[in-house]
Amino acid sequence: MTSPDKSNTQVSVPDWLLERYALNELPAERLEALRLQIEADPELAARLRDLRNHNRAVLMQHPPRVVARQIERRAGVVPARKARSGWWMAAPVVAMAAVALFFVGPHNGSDPDVLAKGRAGGTVYEDAPELRIFRADDGELVPGDVAGAGDVLGFRYHAQGRDFGALLSIDGAGVVTLHMPETVGGPLDLDDGLVTVNLGYELDDAPGFERFFLVLSESPFDLDAVLSAARQLADGDAETGRLELDTQLEVVDFVVDKDRR
Amino acid sequence: MSVDVEALYTKYGPMVLRRCTRLLKDEEQAMEAMQDTFVKVIRYQHRLNDEAPSSLLYRMATNTCLNKIRSKGRRPEDADSELVARIAAVPDGTGQPMARILLDRIFAREQESTRTMAVLHLLDGMTLQEVADEVGMSVSGVRKRLRTLKKHVAELEGV
C-alpha cells in the first residue's frame, strides 16, 4: 500500500490542505476555492483521487472494527468481554482446541530459564501463586487442550499472600488485553484464598495462542508500566518471551494454544 | 464528550496513518504511531473540545511521531527526514514532556509545542499565518517561537 503523500515543497496544494478538503473540514470559502482549483488541475484531481483510494485501501487492510478494538485495548479502556450470564453459563462452546501451560515463580531478571522451567512442571516452589484457566462447560484447561474462537474462559487465582495483582493477556495478533482490573486506574487489590475472577473472556479469532499473565506484588505497582512491558513483548516473541518487569513483581503465565487449523 | 473510536478511526485513521508514514518512513512504526495518536484522544477525551478533528489529529500525529523519532534517535534517510529529525532533537524549552505540552495546548488552550509548529511550517509548508491559525497564536508569537527553535538548529535556515 503506497501512500499518496507528496513533498509539499513541490506542490501548490500541500498534503494537509488536500486532506482537509477530502474530509470537508475547510472553511466554506477555502473549500470552494480549492474545489475550483481541483476542477481545473488534472494533476491535483489525481492526487485527490489517489488519496481517496488510499483511504479505502487503509480501511480494507486495517478494518475499523479490529483497529478500534486494538486502540481501545492499548488505552486500557476496554475490559475483557463479559459473558452475559457469567462465564460458566455462556453459550455452548465449540470444543475445538486449546493447550494450557503455566509458569509459577518470582520474576527474576537474572534467570532466563525460569519460564521454561515453569512450562515443564508447573509450581516450582512452595506457596507459589497460581493461575488457573477454565473453559465454560468444559472445566479446567490442562496441557494438550486447545481452545478456539468463541470459547469463553474463566479464571481463578491463588495469590498466596500477595496483596496486589493484575491479569492481562497477549494474543497471537499482538493485542494486549487488560482483564483485571477492568481499567488501568482500577484497584489492584487481590483477595485471599482461591478466588474466581468475576469475568468471562471470549477468545476471538487471533491466531496461534493467547498468553495470560497474572502479575503479583506485595505492594501497589505501576500498571501502566506492566502494560507497556506487555506491549513490548507483543512486538517480539509473545508466546515464549519474558515479560520484563521490575524485579519486585512476580509473574504467573498461562499459554492457551488455539486451533491452528 | 465521548469518543467513538471506530467512527473516528474510520474517518480520520487513513489521514493519520499517512501523516505518520510520511514522518517515520516506516509503515509498521507508522501504524503504531497512528494507534498511539488515537490512544491519546481516548485518554484525554474528557478535555476534548470542538476543534476540527482533522487539524487536531494531524498535530497529535505529528507530535507522536516527533517523540518517536526523538526517543529512537532515528537516522535521517532524506532531506525531509533530516529536517524532522533535527526538529525532534530540539529541546522544547519548557521542561515538560512534549506530548504533555501538545495535549495541554490542544485540550486546555495552553502552549503548542514549538517543534510541532516548526514541522507544520518548515515541512508542511504552512505559512506563519496558517500555523498561527492552527495553534491559536498570533503570527508574531509563532515567529518568535520558531526563531527560538532555529537558534537551536541554525542549520534549518538553509533547508
Side-chain angles (χ1 to χ4, degrees), chain A:
Chain A
M1 189 167 51
T2 305
S3 169
D5 282 357
K6 311 282 186 198
S7 168
N8 288 314
T9 58
Q10 297 170 6
V11 295
S12 58
V13 176
D15 293 331
W16 63 269
L17 192 54
L18 201 59
E19 294 279 10
R20 288 178 203 181
Y21 177 86
L23 288 163
N24 200 26
E25 289 191 3
L26 284 173
E29 195 175 324
R30 195 157 194 188
L31 192 76
E32 177 59 14
L34 192 50
R35 188 186 68 76
L36 294 173
Q37 194 176 343
I38 290 168
E39 275 184 5
D41 182 347
E43 194 173 325
L44 191 53
R47 278 179 61 202
L48 181 62
R49 194 165 51 248
D50 288 348
L51 188 150
R52 287 176 168 151
N53 287 338
H54 189 255
N55 283 350
R56 282 187 283 273
V58 168
L59 296 176
M60 280 185 67
Q61 190 171 341
H62 307 289
R65 188 181 62 81
V66 174
V67 175
R69 204 168 129 235
Q70 291 171 342
I71 291 167
E72 288 168 340
R73 285 180 174 179
R74 287 178 72 160
V77 297
V78 175
R81 287 159 290 169
K82 293 184 177 172
R84 279 188 287 275
S85 336
W87 65 268
W88 59 91
M89 296 175 64
V93 171
V94 180
M96 289 197 280
V99 171
L101 286 179
F102 45 89
F103 150 74
V104 183
H107 184 74
N108 182 346
S110 64
D111 182 359
D113 295 328
V114 77
L115 285 176
K117 277 192 265 180
R119 272 183 174 278
T123 303
V124 294
Y125 64 90
E126 219 174 293
D127 293 327
E130 292 177 55
L131 172 63
R132 300 180 187 179
I133 299 187
F134 298 79
R135 181 163 45 192
D137 300 331
D138 200 27
E140 186 170 350
L141 294 178
V142 296
D145 290 339
V146 179
D151 284 6
V152 178
L153 305 181
F155 308 87
R156 284 180 185 157
Y157 67 80
H158 199 311
Q160 301 287 7
R162 283 72 169 174
D163 291 324
F164 302 93
L167 178 64
L168 56 138
S169 66
I170 304 173
D171 69 19
V175 175
V176 175
T177 302
L178 176 64
H179 304 283
M180 180 187 77
E182 289 190 350
T183 61
V184 175
L188 298 170
D189 308 73
L190 298 178
D191 292 323
D192 294 331
L194 186 61
V195 177
T196 300
V197 179
N198 185 28
L199 70 86
Y201 178 65
E202 183 183 350
L203 291 175
D204 65 12
D205 57 358
F209 67 93
E210 183 133 8
R211 186 177 177 190
F212 296 85
F213 298 87
L214 178 62
V215 178
L216 305 106
S217 175
E218 294 184 355
S219 56
F221 56 93
D222 181 358
L223 185 51
D224 254 329
V226 171
L227 291 171
S228 176
R231 284 193 282 269
Q232 276 198 322
L233 180 58
D235 289 337
D237 180 6
E239 190 170 10
T240 60
R242 169 185 298 281
L243 186 60
E244 295 290 348
L245 300 174
D246 286 346
T247 52
Q248 79 270 16
L249 297 176
E250 297 175 77
V251 180
V252 179
D253 83 328
F254 193 118
V255 181
V256 175
D257 277 359
K258 296 173 74 177
D259 187 1
R260 295 175 194 254
R261 285 173 299 177

Side-chain angles (χ1 to χ4, degrees), chain B residues 24-25 69 72-78 81-82 85:
Chain B
L24 295 171
K25 311 287 186 189
I69 291 165
K72 292 185 177 178
R74 284 161 46 87
R75 189 181 181 86
E77 294 159 8
D78 54 37
S81 299
E82 186 176 348

